Amino acid sequence: MMISSWDWGEANAVFAVLPVDVADRLRKRFRFYNWKEQMGGGVVEVRWMCAFDTTEADVEAFAAALAEELRAS
């Protein structure tokens, strides 16, 4: 699976397409919702949001968990 990133500045929302099993495992560790359920092909679009009190450490922990789950898939 290829991951692409863009630097569009600051935002508090990210939409991503993930394998369903990765999203399910990651959801056990972090709270987020599916945005589009019926994408087919074993993938789902998710929405990740940050609150006003989200820290850089919170984002780094989430990114590390995401990388771990993607490697495990």
Side-chain angles (χ1 to χ4, degrees), residues 29-30 56-66:
R29 300 163 69 175
F30 297 90
E56 190 171 327
D58 294 333
V59 174
E60 289 173 357
F62 181 82
L66 174 60

Side-chain angles (χ1 to χ4, degrees), residues 4 9 11 13-14 18 21-22 28 31 33 36 39-41 49 63-64 67-68 71-72:
S4 297
V14 173
L18 297 173
D21 62 326
V22 171
K28 292 177 183 175
R31 185 176 172 191
Y33 300 97
K36 289 185 182 175
M39 293 196 64
M49 300 290 296
E68 178 183 320
R71 281 191 303 270

Side-chain angles (χ1 to χ4, degrees), residues 9-71:
E10 295 184 19
N12 73 334
V14 173
F15 296 86
V17 176
L18 297 173
V20 172
D21 62 326
V22 171
D24 289 344
R25 290 193 311 267
L26 191 60
R27 195 175 292 105
K28 292 177 183 175
R29 300 163 69 175
F30 297 90
R31 185 176 172 191
F32 62 91
Y33 300 97
N34 290 349
W35 189 251
K36 289 185 182 175
E37 296 279 348
Q38 304 299 326
M39 293 196 64
V43 297
V44 64
E45 185 175 9
V46 298
R47 180 180 72 160
W48 298 322
M49 300 290 296
C50 293
F52 70 94
D53 59 348
T54 302
T55 66
E56 190 171 327
D58 294 333
V59 174
E60 289 173 357
F62 181 82
L66 174 60
E68 178 183 320
E69 295 300 346
L70 287 168
R71 281 191 303 270

